[in-house]
CSV table of all heavy atoms in Angstrom, one decimal:
chain,number,residue,atom,x,y,z
A,366,VAL,N,-0.4,-3.0,29.0
A,366,VAL,CA,0.1,-1.8,28.8
A,366,VAL,C,-0.6,-0.6,29.5
A,366,VAL,O,0.0,0.3,30.1
A,366,VAL,CB,0.1,-1.4,27.2
A,366,VAL,CG1,0.6,0.1,27.0
A,366,VAL,CG2,1.3,-2.2,26.5
A,367,LEU,N,-1.9,-0.7,29.6
A,367,LEU,CA,-2.8,0.2,30.5
A,367,LEU,C,-2.3,0.1,31.9
A,367,LEU,O,-2.1,1.2,32.6
A,367,LEU,CB,-4.2,0.0,30.3
A,367,LEU,CG,-5.1,0.8,30.9
A,367,LEU,CD1,-5.0,2.3,30.6
A,367,LEU,CD2,-6.6,0.3,30.9
A,368,GLY,N,-2.1,-1.0,32.4
A,368,GLY,CA,-1.6,-1.3,33.7
A,368,GLY,C,-0.4,-0.7,34.1
A,368,GLY,O,-0.1,0.1,35.0
A,369,ILE,N,0.6,-0.9,33.2
A,369,ILE,CA,2.0,-0.4,33.2
A,369,ILE,C,1.8,1.0,33.3
A,369,ILE,O,2.6,1.9,34.0
A,369,ILE,CB,3.0,-0.9,32.2
A,369,ILE,CG1,3.1,-2.4,32.5
A,369,ILE,CG2,4.3,-0.2,32.2
A,369,ILE,CD1,3.8,-3.2,31.3
A,370,ALA,N,1.1,1.7,32.1
A,370,ALA,CA,1.0,3.2,32.2
A,370,ALA,C,0.3,3.8,33.4
A,370,ALA,O,0.8,4.7,34.0
A,370,ALA,CB,0.1,3.5,31.0
A,371,ALA,N,-0.6,2.9,34.1
A,371,ALA,CA,-1.3,3.5,35.3
A,371,ALA,C,-0.2,3.5,36.4
A,371,ALA,O,-0.2,4.5,37.2
A,371,ALA,CB,-2.4,2.6,35.6
A,372,VAL,N,0.6,2.4,36.5
A,372,VAL,CA,1.6,2.4,37.6
A,372,VAL,C,2.6,3.6,37.4
A,372,VAL,O,3.0,4.3,38.4
A,372,VAL,CB,2.3,1.0,37.7
A,372,VAL,CG1,3.5,1.1,38.5
A,372,VAL,CG2,1.3,0.0,38.0
A,373,ALA,N,3.0,3.8,36.1
A,373,ALA,CA,4.0,4.8,35.7
A,373,ALA,C,3.4,6.1,36.1
A,373,ALA,O,4.2,7.1,36.7
A,373,ALA,CB,4.5,4.6,34.4
A,374,THR,N,2.1,6.4,35.8
A,374,THR,CA,1.7,7.7,36.0
A,374,THR,C,1.4,8.0,37.4
A,374,THR,O,1.7,9.2,37.8
A,374,THR,CB,0.2,7.6,35.2
A,374,THR,OG1,0.3,7.4,34.0
A,374,THR,CG2,-0.6,9.0,35.5
A,375,THR,N,1.0,7.0,38.3
A,375,THR,CA,0.8,7.2,39.7
A,375,THR,C,2.2,7.6,40.3
A,375,THR,O,2.4,8.4,41.2
A,375,THR,CB,0.1,6.2,40.4
A,375,THR,OG1,0.8,4.9,40.2
A,375,THR,CG2,-1.2,6.0,39.9
A,376,THR,N,3.2,6.9,39.8
A,376,THR,CA,4.6,7.1,40.2
A,376,THR,C,5.2,8.4,39.9
A,376,THR,O,5.8,9.1,40.7
A,376,THR,CB,5.5,5.8,40.0
A,376,THR,OG1,4.9,4.7,40.3
A,376,THR,CG2,6.9,5.9,40.5
A,377,LEU,N,5.3,8.5,38.6
A,377,LEU,CA,5.9,9.7,38.1
A,377,LEU,C,5.2,11.0,38.3
A,377,LEU,O,5.9,12.2,38.4
A,377,LEU,CB,6.2,9.6,36.4
A,377,LEU,CG,7.1,8.4,36.2
A,377,LEU,CD1,7.1,8.2,34.6
A,377,LEU,CD2,8.5,8.6,36.6
A,378,PHE,N,3.9,11.1,38.2
A,378,PHE,CA,3.1,12.4,38.4
A,378,PHE,C,2.4,12.5,39.7
A,378,PHE,O,1.6,13.4,39.8
A,378,PHE,CB,2.2,12.3,37.2
A,378,PHE,CG,2.9,12.4,35.8
A,378,PHE,CD1,2.9,11.2,35.1
A,378,PHE,CD2,3.7,13.6,35.4
A,378,PHE,CE1,3.4,11.2,33.9
A,378,PHE,CE2,4.3,13.4,34.2
A,378,PHE,CZ,4.2,12.4,33.4
A,379,ALA,N,2.6,11.5,40.5
A,379,ALA,CA,1.9,11.5,41.8
A,379,ALA,C,0.4,11.7,41.8
A,379,ALA,O,-0.3,12.4,42.5
A,379,ALA,CB,2.4,12.7,42.8
A,380,VAL,N,-0.1,10.9,40.7
A,380,VAL,CA,-1.7,10.9,40.5
A,380,VAL,C,-2.2,10.2,41.7
A,380,VAL,O,-1.8,9.1,42.0
A,380,VAL,CB,-2.0,10.4,39.3
A,380,VAL,CG1,-3.5,10.2,39.0
A,380,VAL,CG2,-1.4,11.2,38.1
A,381,GLN,N,-3.3,10.6,42.3
A,381,GLN,CA,-4.0,10.0,43.4
A,381,GLN,C,-4.9,8.9,42.8
A,381,GLN,O,-6.1,9.3,42.6
A,381,GLN,CB,-4.8,11.1,44.2
A,381,GLN,CG,-3.7,12.0,44.9
A,381,GLN,CD,-2.8,11.3,45.8
A,381,GLN,OE1,-3.1,10.5,46.7
A,381,GLN,NE2,-1.5,11.6,45.7
A,382,MET,N,-4.3,7.8,42.5
A,382,MET,CA,-5.1,6.7,41.9
A,382,MET,C,-4.4,5.4,42.2
A,382,MET,O,-3.2,5.2,42.2
A,382,MET,CB,-5.1,6.9,40.3
A,382,MET,CG,-5.7,5.7,39.5
A,382,MET,SD,-5.8,6.1,37.8
A,382,MET,CE,-4.1,5.9,37.4
A,383,ASN,N,-5.3,4.5,42.7
A,383,ASN,CA,-4.7,3.2,43.0
A,383,ASN,C,-4.7,2.3,41.6
A,383,ASN,O,-5.7,2.1,41.1
A,383,ASN,CB,-5.6,2.5,43.9
A,383,ASN,CG,-5.0,1.0,44.4
A,383,ASN,OD1,-4.5,0.3,43.5
A,383,ASN,ND2,-5.2,0.7,45.5
A,384,PRO,N,-3.5,2.0,41.0
A,384,PRO,CA,-3.4,1.4,39.7
A,384,PRO,C,-4.1,0.1,39.7
A,384,PRO,O,-4.7,-0.3,38.7
A,384,PRO,CB,-1.9,1.1,39.4
A,384,PRO,CG,-1.3,2.1,40.4
A,384,PRO,CD,-2.2,2.4,41.5
A,385,VAL,N,-4.1,-0.7,40.8
A,385,VAL,CA,-4.7,-2.1,40.8
A,385,VAL,C,-6.2,-1.8,40.8
A,385,VAL,O,-6.9,-2.6,40.0
A,385,VAL,CB,-4.2,-2.9,42.1
A,385,VAL,CG1,-4.9,-4.1,42.2
A,385,VAL,CG2,-2.7,-3.1,42.1
A,386,MET,N,-6.8,-1.0,41.6
A,386,MET,CA,-8.2,-0.8,41.6
A,386,MET,C,-8.6,-0.2,40.3
A,386,MET,O,-9.7,-0.5,39.8
A,386,MET,CB,-8.5,0.2,42.8
A,386,MET,CG,-8.4,-0.4,44.1
A,386,MET,SD,-9.1,-2.0,44.5
A,386,MET,CE,-10.9,-1.6,44.2
A,387,TYR,N,-7.9,0.7,39.7
A,387,TYR,CA,-8.2,1.4,38.4
A,387,TYR,C,-8.3,0.2,37.4
A,387,TYR,O,-9.2,0.1,36.6
A,387,TYR,CB,-7.1,2.3,38.0
A,387,TYR,CG,-7.2,2.8,36.6
A,387,TYR,CD1,-8.2,3.7,36.3
A,387,TYR,CD2,-6.4,2.4,35.4
A,387,TYR,CE1,-8.5,4.2,35.0
A,387,TYR,CE2,-6.6,2.9,34.2
A,387,TYR,CZ,-7.7,3.7,34.0
A,387,TYR,OH,-7.9,4.2,32.8
A,388,MET,N,-7.3,-0.7,37.4
A,388,MET,CA,-7.3,-1.8,36.4
A,388,MET,C,-8.4,-2.8,36.6
A,388,MET,O,-9.1,-3.2,35.6
A,388,MET,CB,-6.0,-2.6,36.4
A,388,MET,CG,-4.8,-1.9,35.8
A,388,MET,SD,-5.2,-1.4,34.1
A,388,MET,CE,-5.5,-3.1,33.2
A,389,LYS,N,-8.7,-3.1,37.8
A,389,LYS,CA,-9.8,-4.0,38.2
A,389,LYS,C,-11.1,-3.3,37.8
A,389,LYS,O,-12.0,-4.0,37.1
A,389,LYS,CB,-9.9,-4.1,39.7
A,389,LYS,CG,-11.0,-5.1,40.1
A,389,LYS,CD,-10.9,-5.3,41.6
A,389,LYS,CE,-12.0,-6.3,42.2
A,389,LYS,NZ,-12.0,-6.4,43.5
A,390,SER,N,-11.3,-2.0,38.1
A,390,SER,CA,-12.5,-1.4,37.6
A,390,SER,C,-12.6,-1.3,36.0
A,390,SER,O,-13.6,-1.5,35.5
A,390,SER,CB,-12.4,0.0,38.2
A,390,SER,OG,-13.6,0.9,37.7
Side-chain angles (χ1 to χ4, degrees):
V366 168
L367 178 64
I369 293 167
V372 169
T374 300
T375 57
T376 304
L377 296 172
F378 301 106
V380 172
Q381 297 301 309
M382 172 178 72
N383 179 328
V385 174
M386 293 305 294
Y387 174 74
M388 285 303 300
K389 183 178 178 183
S390 174

